[in-house]
């Protein structure tokens, strides 16, 4: 959470920083700021709210070719102008931006900063005050920066400006993501390459506990003890048009519509020249060697992990448990003898998952990350990575990454089944093609779903999504989508479980959305719907051909029973989108959330 940028070159730094921050707003958007350096000193502008609010306070006449910037998701201290980054040391010599959490900031303050008056409530301020204190003790800026970082416990991606040398940016990283972008006579820094594609597509990674001294011509990587390191750069395979909204009013709608293309892209990426599944032999062995698979994920990715469990167990006959990362981290169950851990994460940066990954590596167990961002922390630190090829997902509410994760898990499950000789009559590459076609009908059915959102959800305080077996997991995801962007209290329930308590919440007009795609339980879920209708619920039924009834609001084209979640989630996503829109909510940037959750 939080995004940082930096620029040192020959162009107008403030405009590049502001544009970069706009691309990073998905990482947090409760306040933002930039600091620019020129011959008259370092000038800081910061404001509560979005980048648009920051633009209003930046002095456009102030010229600069060097600067750093930050967009914040508050952890320590309320969202306010005071707590917004950049922060300055008491002497104003040093200015800093930081993404992460400094766990020992109270202790460091007591030990090193007695008498130094803190201005903000943030943990970040401690970093800049320590650098100032150590430089007063006689250390060079680089030495003071390295000493400070070596004392920090927790996570940081940070960039520092020194008012006595305004042609250098010092950056450091531990656990939080940070990249250096390289160009001719220009270098940049960013939490995510997308922010700086406007300047370059050549990037260099920084490892944990390294610093980089960045000037216009050089980017020198060093360890915290000062030892120099050489690091190769790479060309980011990102197209800047992927991160534009185009003609869409919101990223979320664009990303919903991209799902058929994403599925077709996955088919292409995972197919060899003989039309067979293409997967690394090492990954195949890791899956087939395991006596049990532990899927670890959070939020929407957890919901895809629940579907993944069903797919792997049913198709490959390997036992699977799916766990919420933040729970698993502090309450690990008894593990099997030969476990394989699968981390599912759109961003590849989620702190809860990383905590589990670190523990798992310490125990010596193999780990596979399924992610949309191959160079991400979870991807680099796991033994193996499977890429979901969904393209950048910008809207905070995840849509195409979720369906992509399930598609990749279906392919993985069949590959493993074939490797161990389980007989299956299911060709995922072919069936995913049918899924992609089925998804396409929703580009035409949006009006019906917009009407559902208007009729059922424009004024209601709460809503229920009910389903059974795989449909239950999709209902959990549908409810999460609705609550995160429309702020309606929503719950996804197993249809049979309602009458064991929750049905007490059903009253006249309560919206209940039922889902039926699984033939073996379709009559049961219809029975459960009758129970809530008898108590006044306002019912909406979404079904799939083969399970449909005449009165159903939406009937989806049939797809293979293993893959129904990839299609049935689309109406849920679209209904949530319109519900949020009708209620005047900010669809792409819902309150209190951020796209990349890099704090525990
Ligand atoms: C909801 C959503 C979140 C994420 C969760 C995990 O729409 O996007 O629930 O799924 O924060 O994030 P990743 O997948 O990046 O690990």
């Amino acid at each position: 959470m939080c995004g940082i940028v930096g620029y040192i070159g020959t162009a107008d730094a403030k405009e590049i920083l502001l544009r970069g921050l706009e691309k990073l707003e998905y990482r947090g958007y409760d306040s933002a700021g930039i600091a620019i350096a020129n011959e008259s000193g370092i000038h800081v502008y910061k404001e509560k709210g979005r980048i648009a609010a920051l633009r209003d306070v930046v002095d456009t006449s102030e010229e600069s070719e060097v600067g750093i910037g930050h967009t914040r998701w508050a952890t320590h201290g309320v969202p306010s102008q005071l707590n917004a980054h950049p922060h300055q040391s008491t002497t104003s010599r040093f200015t800093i931006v930081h993404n992460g959490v400094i766990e020992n900031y109270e202790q460091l303050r007591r030990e090193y900063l007695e008498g130094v008056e803190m201005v903000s409530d943030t943990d970040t301020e401690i970093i800049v005050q320590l650098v100032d204190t150590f430089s007063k003790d006689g250390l060079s800026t680089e030495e003071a920066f390295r000493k400070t970082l070596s004392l920090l416990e927790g996570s940081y991606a940070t960039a520092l400006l020194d008012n006595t040398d305004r042609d250098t940016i010092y950056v450091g990283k531990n656990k939080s993501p940070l990249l250096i972008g390289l160009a001719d006579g220009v270098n940049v820094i960013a939490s995510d390459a997308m922010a700086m594609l406007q300047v370059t597509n050549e990037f260099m990674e920084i490892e944990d506990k390294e610093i980089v001294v960045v000037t216009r011509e050089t980017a020198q990587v060093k360890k915290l003890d000062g030892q120099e390191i050489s690091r190769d750069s790479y060309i980011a395979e990102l197209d800047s048009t992927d991160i534009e909204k185009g003609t869409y009013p919101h990223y979320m709608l664009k990303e919903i519509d991209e799902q058929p293309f994403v599925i077709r892209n996955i088919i292409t990426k995972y197919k060899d020249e003989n039309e067979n599944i293409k997967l690394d032999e090492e990954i195949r062995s890791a899956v087939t060697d395991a006596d049990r698979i532990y899927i670890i994920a959070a939020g929407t990715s957890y919901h895809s992990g629940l579907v993944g469990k069903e797919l792997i167990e049913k198709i490959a006959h390997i036992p699977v448990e799916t766990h919420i990362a933040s729970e698993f981290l502090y309450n690990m169950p008894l593990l099997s003898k030969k476990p394989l851990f699968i981390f599912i994460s759109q961003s590849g940066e989620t702190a809860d998952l990383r905590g589990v990954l670190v523990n798992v590596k310490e125990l010596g167990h193999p780990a596979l990350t399924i992610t949309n961002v191959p160079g991400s922390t979870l991807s680099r630190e796991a033994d193996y990575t499977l890429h979901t090829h969904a393209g950048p997902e910008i809207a905070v509410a995840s849509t195409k990454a979720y369906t992509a994760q399930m598609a990749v898990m279906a392919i993985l499950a069949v590959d493993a089944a074939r490797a161990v000789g389980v007989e299956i009559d299911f060709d995922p590459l072919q069936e995913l093609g049918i899924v992609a076609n089925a998804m396409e009908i929703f580009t035409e059915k949006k009006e019906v779903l917009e009407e559902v959102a208007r009729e059922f959800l424009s004024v209601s305080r709460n809503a229920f999504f009910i389903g059974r077996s795989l449909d239950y997991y999709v209902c959990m995801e549908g409810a999460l989508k609705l609550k995160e962007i429309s702020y309606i209290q929503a719950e996804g329930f197993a249809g049979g479980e309602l009458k064991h308590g929750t049905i007490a919440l059903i009253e006249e007009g309560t919206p209940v959305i039922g889902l039926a795609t699984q033939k073996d339980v379709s009559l049961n879920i219809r029975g459960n719907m009758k129970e809530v209708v008898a108590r006044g619920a306002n019912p909406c039924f979404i079904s799939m051909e083969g399970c449909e009834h005449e009165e159903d609001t939406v009937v989806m084209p049939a797809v293979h029973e293993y893959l129904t979640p990839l299609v049935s989630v689309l109406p849920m996503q679209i209904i949530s989108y319109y519900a949020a829109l009708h209620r005047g909510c900010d669809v792409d940037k819902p309150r209190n959330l951020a796209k990349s959750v890099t704090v525990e």
Side-chain angles (χ1 to χ4, degrees), residues 297-302 344-350 353 378 393 395-399 405 477 480-481 484 594-597:
T300 288
S301 298
Y302 169 70
I344 307 179
S345 175
Q346 188 285 129
S347 63
E349 299 294 346
T350 304
L353 276 75
L378 290 169
E393 193 181 63
V396 164
S398 183
T399 52
Q405 289 163 352
E477 173 57 11
L480 178 60
K481 275 305 76 91
E484 69 178 319
K595 183 85 185 149
S596 186
V597 187

Side-chain angles (χ1 to χ4, degrees), residues 31 33 120 123 135 351 441 489 544 559 586:
S31 58
S120 74
D123 52 338
S135 70
I441 70 143
Q489 164 80 51
M544 189 164 270
V559 297
D586 186 339

